[in-house]
Amino acid sequence: MESEIKTRGFAIDVSRDKLTVVKAELVITQEKREVEVNEVREFKYDNEGIEELIKFLGEYKEGIMESTGPYFFYLH
């Protein structure tokens, strides 16, 4: 029997006007490692959009964030 490790996570690309978010699972077996993308969405970069983002992430608690410029300070 092959052992398998699955972990869920998200990635956020922060730009001036929008947040692009990916929810995915990392699947590791003895044979391979792969990322299975579950869903991709964009949100406006304002308070309402961030509230929608939080609801969208749900049980996804670990993630990474990337920005071009200082835009991440507001989200952080």
Side-chain angles (χ1 to χ4, degrees):
M1 180 177 198
E2 186 175 292
S3 62
E4 178 178 271
I5 300 171
K6 276 191 175 186
T7 185
R8 295 188 303 183
F10 62 89
I12 303 174
D13 180 42
V14 182
S15 58
R16 187 180 65 181
D17 299 322
K18 68 179 179 178
L19 303 167
T20 304
V21 183
V22 176
K23 292 195 304 190
E25 289 185 353
L26 173 63
V27 181
I28 301 171
T29 65
Q30 292 175 335
E31 309 292 315
K32 62 183 175 180
R33 294 181 177 137
E34 68 181 14
V35 175
E36 298 174 357
V37 174
N38 295 333
E39 195 170 354
V40 179
R41 283 196 46 197
E42 289 185 349
F43 299 90
K44 283 186 173 181
Y45 197 7
D46 58 14
N47 287 338
E48 200 172 286
I50 291 174
E51 287 178 17
E52 289 178 35
L53 166 65
I54 292 167
K55 290 177 188 173
F56 171 72
L57 290 177
E59 297 296 318
Y60 285 70
K61 302 297 183 199
E62 295 182 13
I64 58 172
M65 172 171 70
E66 186 275 335
S67 68
T68 306
Y71 308 120
F72 68 94
F73 286 116
Y74 175 65
L75 179 64
H76 187 341

